[in-house]
Amino acid sequence: MATEAHGEETGGLVFHPLDQFIVKPLFGEIGDPVSWYTITNVTLWMALAVLAIVALFVFGSRGRAIVPTRTQSIGEILYGFTYKMVEDVAGKDAIKFFPYIMTLFMFILFANYLGLLPMSFATTSHIAVTAVLALAVFLTVTIVGFVKNGTKFLGLFWVSSAPLALRPILAIIELISYFVRPVSHSIRLGGNIMAGHAVMKVFAGFAAVAAISPFAVLSITAIYGLEMLVAGVQAYVFAILTCVYLKDALHPSH
Amino acid sequence: MATEETEVAADAAHGAADAAHGAAEASGAGMPQLDFSTFGNQIFWLVVTLVVIHVVFTKIALPRIAGVLAERQGTITSDLAAAEELKQKAVDAEDAYKKALADARTEAQKIVADAKAEIQADLDAAQAKADAEIAAKTAESEKAITEIREGAADSAKEVAKDTVTAILSAMGFSADAKTVTSAVNDRAKG
Amino acid sequence: MEGDIAQLGQFIGAGLAGIGSGAAAIGVGHVAGNFLAGALRNPSAAGGQTATLFIGIAFAEALGIFSFLIALLLMFAV
């Protein structure tokens, strides 16, 4: 319905860059109501992410070879990379959160890259998804902080190295920045992915004009390359920020 | 007429745009991200996905990869130890070889020295024998020469006596043999 | 007519919010440039600081994404 209305707009330039993010039921009409259990394109692309992860990490390593095959080697590199990141950034005692961070990292990584396939659906571009991920991290970090350190965790907000007069103000700033964390954490990921995909669609709209279509196609190619980088970097940043927050929770003293 | 038509068209377009706006608002918002009616669905499937991935990781994938990595580390360590051992063996073998070479060289030198000494001894013995033979021959020769010389002197005295006697008798003198002999002997000595 | 003025305001606001993306680009360039300058001075310490570099870039980038989001909201959601 919305698509039809957009088509009425002027000339050959038709921009509706956000239509690619519409959640629609996989079986049925676009206008059908979406209840919580409906199988939608979200379900499809998340399931594909799961399949890709299983293919890489379970079937890829089923040989348990001492000299790894290529697939097993990729899985081992990702494992080693994440393990080292958790160890270096969050500390040795954060290793027990390694499967948790690995889950988040791999889901975001695979969802980002699957979202870059043409005609696909980028699940991580939705604020609902990234907000749940960020809130999960936020809640984990807060609970772990209080369980591990008790009330000493509140020392995170009380900067003991600052002059006494400044400490209440700093405490307020620290508190605000602590609660802004999930917001920025989720919007950074969702916004980056959505922005990249929307920009590609905008350039695709320019390709309808013959005079600038070569430029548009070249631009799409270049931006696609950039988005390949962004997809990896955003997943990495999400994971490493999780590690940083976890380090704060485990060692709250500044 | 024409203007009217354009106006109508513009109105229609406007109406359509309004309708689109309305439709967008009806379905939540212009941005699909802010369409709250789909949030429940997305969150549900996200949680399912995360739980599945987490279970796959903790139950299968991560222990397996950790095991493979540990096994490889162990293999590499033991391989390195084996390599170190083999290297030590090679060094030992080289030492043994060098020692054998040195022994062989000493042995060879000893054999050469023995042979030389033996040859020298043989040579010395042969030389001594030859010297002795030469000395014997010389002595014999000298003895023969002495005999000959003495023989010759006696013969000369005989001849001289005979000659003296003959000359004296020829000159009409007589002389006894004894005087002649002493005179000849004096002369021979002189 | 009233709606048209509102739409005008939306589009102008979206355009102004788009400036924020450029500002974020300056910020990211600043982070990366300073990292490179420091890395060339002390290359041995650079390897351990790539994580910090990415965190810095992410923070700078996030604020630009916020302004982009505001632009999108003005264009499509208001």
Side-chain angles (χ1 to χ4, degrees), chain B residues 5-170:
Chain B
E5 246 176 37
T6 13
E7 265 176 22
V8 168
D11 273 358
H14 199 216
D18 274 356
H21 207 240
E25 267 178 5
S27 71
M31 282 174 76
Q33 275 85 354
L34 297 178
D35 184 359
F36 293 103
S37 65
T38 63
F39 271 30
N41 181 273
Q42 295 190 49
I43 291 167
F44 169 68
W45 288 115
L46 173 67
V47 169
V48 169
T49 306
L50 288 182
V51 167
V52 169
I53 294 174
H54 196 263
V55 166
V56 166
F57 271 150
T58 48
K59 297 288 173 214
I60 309 170
L62 297 185
R64 186 186 288 177
I65 292 175
V68 169
L69 289 180
E71 200 179 329
R72 181 172 313 148
Q73 196 58 44
T75 313
I76 287 171
T77 314
S78 63
D79 279 4
L80 279 181
E84 194 61 36
E85 202 173 304
L86 285 177
K87 198 176 160 196
Q88 191 54 46
K89 269 186 190 161
V91 169
D92 288 352
E94 199 188 346
D95 284 352
Y97 165 76
K98 273 184 184 159
K99 192 163 166 285
L101 200 65
D103 284 355
R105 197 167 282 153
T106 323
E107 188 79 7
Q109 271 165 0
K110 199 173 147 217
I111 288 168
V112 169
D114 283 358
K116 210 180 262 178
E118 208 170 303
I119 290 166
Q120 193 63 43
D122 282 357
L123 202 64
D124 285 353
Q127 199 150 10
K129 200 179 161 196
D131 281 354
E133 272 175 16
I134 290 166
K137 287 237 168 88
T138 313
E140 207 172 307
S141 305
E142 271 173 4
K143 197 178 155 196
I145 289 169
T146 317
E147 271 174 17
I148 291 167
R149 191 180 283 152
E150 278 171 4
D154 284 352
S155 301
K157 278 177 192 166
E158 282 300 314
V159 171
K161 258 190 272 179
D162 287 351
T163 313
V164 167
T165 317
I167 291 168
L168 285 175
S169 53

Side-chain angles (χ1 to χ4, degrees), chain A residues 90-235:
Chain A
K92 283 228 188 295
D93 46 352
I95 284 301
K96 59 177 174 296
F97 295 101
F98 166 63
Y100 180 72
I101 292 168
M102 186 85 177
T103 305
L104 292 177
F105 186 23
M106 286 305 125
F107 169 70
I108 296 170
L109 193 70
F110 278 82
N112 282 355
Y113 278 117
L114 285 173
L116 276 176
L117 293 174
M119 310 300 290
S120 74
F121 176 81
T123 47
T124 42
S125 70
H126 272 264
I127 208 75
V129 171
T130 57
V132 169
L133 293 169
L135 273 177
V137 170
F138 178 77
L139 288 177
T140 312
V141 164
T142 312
I143 291 168
V144 165
F146 277 113
V147 167
K148 284 258 169 193
N149 305 292
T151 50
K152 266 190 264 174
F153 182 57
L154 294 172
L156 188 65
F157 309 112
W158 196 250
V159 187
S160 50
S161 58
L164 194 60
L166 276 177
R167 282 185 208 171
I169 303 164
L170 280 177
I172 292 168
I173 293 173
E174 290 276 339
L175 204 63
I176 292 171
S177 80
Y178 188 80
F179 282 99
V180 165
R181 272 178 185 182
V183 178
S184 69
H185 208 185
S186 58
I187 289 182
R188 180 183 302 114
L189 175 60
N192 259 303
I193 303 302
M194 176 177 58
H197 285 248
V199 166
M200 274 196 272
K201 271 285 152 72
V202 168
F203 276 104
F206 278 129
V209 180
I212 52 171
S213 64
F215 167 73
V217 171
L218 279 179
S219 302
I220 291 173
T221 313
I223 289 176
Y224 195 87
L226 181 70
E227 285 309 303
M228 293 292 282
L229 182 71
V230 166
V233 166
Q234 287 306 320

Side-chain angles (χ1 to χ4, degrees), chain B residues 14 21 24-25 29-31 34, chain C residues 4 10 69 72-73 76-78:
Chain B
H14 199 216
H21 207 240
E25 267 178 5
M31 282 174 76
L34 297 178
Chain C
D4 285 348
Q10 278 180 28
L69 210 66
L72 276 182
L73 285 170
F76 296 104
V78 176

Side-chain angles (χ1 to χ4, degrees), chain A residues 3 5 11 13 45 48 76-77 126 128 132 136 158 182 197 219:
Chain A
T3 328
L13 284 176
W45 287 97
L48 286 177
E76 282 169 10
I77 287 168
H126 272 264
V132 169
W158 196 250
H197 285 248
S219 302

